[in-house]
Amino acid sequence: MTIERFVDAHIHLWQIRHLSHIRYPWLTPPFSDDGPNGSVEPIAHDYLPADYRGDAAGFNVTKIVHIDAGAHPEDALAETRWLQDLPAGPDAIVAFAALNNTDVEGLLAAHVESSKVRGIRHILNWHPDPRLTYGPDNLFDDPQLAKGYALLAKYSLSFDLQIYPVQMAQAYEVAKNHPDIQVMINHMGMPVDGVEAWRFGMRKLAELPHVAVKISGLGFVDRNWTADSIAPLIHETIDIFTPARVMFASDFPTDKLFNGYARQLQTYDELTTKFSRQERDAMFAANAERLYRI
């Protein structure tokens, strides 16, 4: 079988060389092998729509969803406005906003002035292992986070949820209290500590009908993954959420650190042959169109 059409639900674009008003601290030297991604030096250069299309050559990518690319927090609105006007740019934008900021509502209101904005991502990954954590604190422990999260409904914004399994119980409580805010779990829930805690947390989150999941970021789980090694995780993710709430995504160019675009999509294709044509279209395209409203 082949993928008839693909709506890529998770990509990043940036212009480092000539776009001085948007800063990307994580793409700025000096580079280090420490941290969840290892060294990001191989992708620390401009990545624009033409670069993405080059990587995706041979696949029928019909639409793309841009997820915040780690710009400096003060540059989040500039990133949104740049993407909104970018020729051949994304069909939908998921912007950054620090939900634990007491002044976050002003930024949300400014983001939605751009017609392509559909949601917000505030990376919340916290882990007791300093090599894995994205920040020093688990922001779910900050009461202000829940207050900021509640504002998303006012602006008809979804939330891209990027966490580790150790945080899933807290994420469930926040999401449960706001059934009117669509949630997209990023990168299969990033099971970096094995599958038991991940399985329990994902099943709990899947109890909420307004929670969906993106299968992407395979390298975060295993930098040396193969189709055989990653198959159980992908299949269990689909079993937990059903094809109606699963989206495949490339996470390019970040995932270029771990694998090629074609290898990734061919793996997705190979591992979903048992599903019907309608189910495959849902996971590869229609769910992203519906959930991101494009």
Side-chain angles (χ1 to χ4, degrees), residues 232-281:
L233 193 62
I234 289 178
H235 286 149
E236 186 163 6
T237 298
I238 299 172
D239 287 343
I240 291 171
F241 281 88
T242 78
R245 289 191 285 158
V246 167
M247 295 171 279
F248 284 107
S250 72
D251 189 34
F252 257 55
T254 308
D255 253 38
K256 289 186 81 167
L257 296 168
F258 313 120
N259 60 264
Y261 193 100
R263 178 185 175 219
Q264 188 169 334
L265 262 67
Q266 287 164 359
T267 298
Y268 294 159
D269 187 21
E270 174 187 335
L271 297 180
T272 55
T273 55
K274 68 177 182 179
F275 294 97
S276 70
R277 182 177 181 180
Q278 183 177 0
E279 289 171 328
R280 280 168 52 89
D281 184 70

Side-chain angles (χ1 to χ4, degrees), residues 34-225:
D34 296 333
N37 297 316
S39 175
V40 299
E41 185 172 5
I43 59 171
H45 52 75
D46 290 358
Y47 195 79
L48 296 169
D51 301 301
Y52 172 81
R53 295 293 175 181
D55 284 331
F59 294 92
N60 183 26
V61 180
T62 58
K63 298 173 185 175
I64 58 175
V65 179
H66 185 278
I67 310 300
D68 94 273
H72 190 288
E74 294 176 1
D75 298 340
L77 186 57
E79 181 186 58
T80 289
R81 290 172 174 169
W82 172 67
L83 290 164
Q84 176 72 32
D85 297 332
L86 185 65
D91 299 276
I93 299 168
V94 175
F96 170 81
L99 298 183
N100 63 322
N101 189 324
T102 56
D103 298 325
V104 70
E105 184 166 8
L107 179 56
L108 298 180
H111 275 315
V112 298
E113 290 177 0
S114 296
S115 62
K116 292 182 179 181
V117 170
R118 296 293 184 270
I120 294 295
R121 182 174 75 160
H122 181 185
I123 291 179
L124 300 174
N125 290 87
W126 174 85
H127 197 281
D129 185 340
R131 296 170 300 175
L132 294 174
T133 197
Y134 282 63
D137 302 307
N138 181 5
L139 294 182
F140 283 107
D141 294 334
D142 183 347
Q144 190 61 43
L145 182 78
K147 295 177 182 178
Y149 184 90
L151 290 169
L152 298 177
K154 178 178 178 179
Y155 295 95
S156 300
L157 292 166
S158 62
F159 186 64
D160 263 58
L161 176 68
Q162 186 168 317
I163 56 173
Y164 288 127
V166 68
Q167 300 170 287
M168 286 181 178
Q170 290 174 295
Y172 169 83
E173 293 299 328
V174 173
K176 180 183 69 173
N177 292 333
H178 299 281
D180 51 348
I181 299 172
Q182 177 65 48
V183 177
M184 328 295 195
I185 300 173
N186 286 191
H187 308 325
M188 297 183 291
M190 301 177 73
V192 296
D193 295 316
V195 298
E196 291 306 318
W198 171 83
R199 179 178 293 124
F200 179 84
M202 291 284 273
R203 287 176 176 173
K204 194 70 179 172
L205 285 164
E207 292 176 6
L208 304 174
H210 60 288
V211 176
V213 63
K214 286 189 275 193
I215 294 178
S216 56
L218 309 185
F220 291 120
V221 181
D222 178 5
R223 295 184 187 182
N224 301 305
W225 65 268

